[in-house]
Amino acid sequence: MEPPPTTPTPVIPREAWEGCSVLLDINDGDRLAFFRLTAGATVKIGDKSCSLQPLLGRPFGSLFSVGPSGLVPCAAEAPSQDGNNTQDGAIGKAQDETRDNRSLVDNNTAQTLSSEDIEAMKREGASGDAIVEALIANSSTFGNKTVFSQEKYKLKKQKKYAPKVLLRRPTTRSICETYFKKYPARIGFMRVDTLSLLLSMANVGAYSDVLVVDMVGGLVAGAVAERLGGTGYVCSTYLGSAASSIDIIKMYNLSGDMTSRIFQARLSDLCSLQNSGNAPSALSESIQGGVVEPGAVPDQSTLAQPIDAALSDENAQSTAAQPIDIEVTEPTMDEHLNQGGNSLSDCKGNNGASIAPKSLRAGKAPSPDRMKYWEEHGFSSLIVAAPGHEVESLVADLLPLLSYSAPFAIYHQHLQPLATCMHSLQVSKVAIGLQIIEPWLREYQVLPSRTHPHMQMNAFGGYILSGIRIHRPDPSNGE
């Protein structure tokens, strides 16, 4: 491990700046879109195209509404004067609720405000909130609805006539959740809790040298670099002559120092360093010699398998080459993300530090000195996320590159490849603490008198094989 730096690592600003990537959350998750804040960047909300210039200089987490002139920052709500919170009052009403909706008939006659009247209000410059209030005032059944029904009615009309836009910082969690919501195949069907477990089980921390096999578009490599925070190094290795796409890293808004610590190297080049002075690993010999018998692996046919099939090698490569900009409801809208080169423009943070300079790009080849250091000391941890590749032979080549007592974590969306790999590791006796876990996640709706698990959830998060590499005793030396 390298010594601590003498100067503090630049901190990414808390406000949006020119050229940075942002995540726009429209109507509380109904639509998620990545954008880059350039001079001509726009977002289409409904039938209106709004410029993103009002987002510059605003802190992440700011809420905007759509006004006649575009995006307008929402004013903070003033606290109530009577000392009782509005939400507490709603809870009291909910507990004392005696009304129900049995007498209400949905025959489209309760609303007296016509669509022509609404269009006339829009032409006169009325705000979306004013239109919602007018719809409530002209509804003959709104007063007879329960408190819950009234809130649902307001929310439905607000999303249509007064949409809200939340400015979010692209982080590992937000990027993973956004991709998993609409395009899970691009990230190997990896859920956010699974990604968190990978980082934890691989013991990714400051001043670590992490070896990564990232066939999920750069999500894992970016997550590791974000956790390292400008300390340590990330080496993303790949099979064959063509490097795997890690374009998702561009969304992280990493600083120049953090980006410069992300390397890409061919697996054959890394293995040549290890094989130059060492004999083939025991795991490779056992695989080539046929020590591991497929029949010795427990039959997992009775376990439930996910509906989505595993990606083939060709599909994995084509999926990784997909553009990183996604729009959950309209995927082809945000084309401006790919404009202006392959990296973020040269921009400055509040402290004057450069944030992802244009000339600096993640994934450069490591220097000979860095390769020699890895040859002598090995990597401190390993993370494998290659759903479209054969795990057993891949791990046989990767484990010798680790230092002894280094942890590793392997992700796959199916159980059988990990079970076969685990059996090979047990037979070769090159790792201990082997375990296969299935991540489990349940989301809850937390509302007054309505707290319960979500009605629709993802029940499958893949599988993770973890362990620790050890030194295999040599019987010929009497060990």
Side-chain angles (χ1 to χ4, degrees):
M1 292 188 181
E2 62 181 21
T6 56
T7 57
T9 303
V11 180
I12 298 179
R14 298 182 178 180
E15 297 82 16
W17 66 92
E18 181 77 23
C20 73
S21 296
V22 297
L23 174 61
L24 298 186
D25 187 337
I26 303 174
N27 283 334
D28 195 19
D30 285 355
R31 176 181 164 198
L32 299 171
F34 290 104
F35 287 89
R36 179 172 296 168
L37 295 186
T38 57
T42 58
V43 56
K44 189 173 182 181
I45 303 176
D47 56 353
K48 181 177 295 185
S49 182
C50 303
S51 173
L52 297 182
Q53 290 301 305
L55 275 60
L56 294 177
R58 304 292 300 184
F60 290 102
S62 300
L63 189 64
F64 296 82
S65 61
V66 181
S69 59
L71 295 178
V72 179
C74 295
E77 296 182 359
S80 58
Q81 301 296 330
D82 56 358
N84 294 328
N85 196 319
T86 305
Q87 185 177 1
D88 295 338
I91 294 176
K93 292 180 181 179
Q95 293 175 347
D96 299 337
E97 185 67 57
T98 58
R99 295 171 295 179
D100 55 50
N101 301 328
R102 288 180 294 180
S103 61
L104 301 181
V105 180
D106 188 10
N107 52 12
N108 294 328
T109 60
Q111 182 57 250
T112 59
L113 195 66
S114 62
S115 58
E116 290 78 9
D117 298 333
I118 297 176
E119 293 297 329
M121 294 179 64
K122 291 182 179 179
R123 288 192 296 268
E124 294 174 359
S127 63
D129 294 332
I131 295 176
V132 174
E133 293 297 330
L135 289 170
I136 293 175
N138 287 272
S139 176
S140 59
T141 58
F142 183 82
N144 298 327
K145 293 182 178 181
T146 64
V147 175
F148 296 155
S149 297
Q150 290 177 354
E151 291 299 325
K152 291 175 63 176
Y153 181 86
K154 289 180 182 179
L155 182 61
K156 179 181 178 180
K157 299 303 179 184
Q158 177 264 323
K159 289 183 177 181
K160 183 176 182 180
Y161 297 104
K164 296 294 190 295
V165 179
L166 179 63
L167 175 62
R168 298 177 58 184
R169 181 197 300 273
T171 60
T172 297
R173 176 171 182 172
S174 60
I175 293 174
C176 184
E177 289 178 342
T178 303
Y179 271 87
F180 187 81
K181 183 176 182 180
K182 190 62 178 179
Y183 301 108
R186 296 188 185 182
I187 59 172
F189 303 91
M190 184 180 297
R191 211 167 51 191
V192 63
D193 59 314
T194 305
L195 180 57
S196 302
L197 282 174
L198 280 176
L199 299 178
S200 177
M201 292 183 170
N203 196 28
V204 177
Y207 308 106
S208 300
D209 291 337
V210 185
L211 179 61
V212 176
V213 181
D214 190 334
M215 303 295 180
V216 291
L219 178 65
V220 175
V224 172
E226 183 185 60
R227 174 163 291 193
L228 293 179
T231 64
Y233 293 91
V234 183
C235 180
S236 177
T237 185
Y238 55 91
L239 304 176
S241 58
S244 303
S245 173
I246 55 173
D247 286 340
I248 293 181
I249 294 179
K250 294 186 291 184
M251 293 189 180
Y252 279 85
N253 292 331
L254 300 178
S255 64
D257 184 52
M258 296 168 68
T259 306
S260 64
R261 293 172 176 268
I262 303 176
F263 300 102
Q264 276 190 307
R266 287 184 299 182
L267 181 59
S268 57
D269 295 339
L270 296 176
C271 293
S272 63
L273 295 177
Q274 189 270 335
N275 294 330
S276 59
N278 299 323
S281 64
L283 181 58
S284 300
E285 292 177 350
S286 64
I287 293 177
Q288 297 174 0
V291 175
V292 179
E293 300 179 1
V297 181
D299 185 15
Q300 304 293 343
S301 59
T302 59
L303 297 177
Q305 298 292 336
I307 298 177
D308 301 289
L311 298 175
S312 62
D313 290 348
E314 295 78 12
N315 291 338
Q317 294 292 342
S318 62
T319 300
Q322 298 276 352
I324 64 171
D325 53 301
I326 69 170
E327 160 59 56
V328 170
T329 53
E330 301 176 12
T332 60
M333 182 182 298
D334 308 333
E335 298 176 352
H336 58 274
L337 271 178
N338 286 334
Q339 298 176 0
N342 293 325
S343 60
L344 297 179
S345 60
D346 191 8
C347 50
K348 302 291 183 179
N350 294 340
N351 56 0
S354 177
I355 305 297
K358 187 175 182 179
S359 60
L360 194 59
R361 179 180 178 181
K364 63 180 181 181
S367 63
D369 293 339
R370 178 52 48 183
M371 293 284 286
K372 183 178 180 180
Y373 178 86
W374 289 335
E375 177 187 0
E376 296 176 352
H377 299 85
F379 292 92
S380 58
S381 58
L382 166 68
I383 298 179
V384 179
H389 291 78
E390 204 274 320
V391 177
E392 185 180 3
S393 60
L394 186 61
V395 173
D397 295 331
L398 292 171
L399 275 189
L401 302 176
L402 301 181
S403 61
Y404 294 123
S405 301
F408 59 88
I410 308 168
Y411 166 79
H412 204 283
Q413 65 184 105
H414 298 302
L415 177 60
Q416 186 59 42
L418 296 183
T420 304
C421 180
M422 180 177 179
H423 181 72
S424 301
L425 295 174
Q426 290 173 335
V427 172
S428 58
K429 298 180 181 180
V430 296
I432 61 172
L434 297 173
Q435 61 175 346
I436 298 179
I437 67 171
E438 179 182 5
W440 189 80
L441 177 68
R442 169 172 286 178
E443 298 183 49
Y444 274 79
Q445 169 185 289
V446 182
L447 291 174
S449 303
R450 291 173 289 172
T451 299
H452 57 75
H454 282 187
M455 297 294 100
Q456 295 181 351
M457 295 181 297
N458 182 272
F460 178 75
Y463 300 91
I464 298 177
L465 169 62
S466 62
I468 300 175
R469 191 214 173 185
I470 61 172
H471 174 66
R472 183 173 182 264
D474 189 359
S476 60
N477 296 332
E479 297 182 358

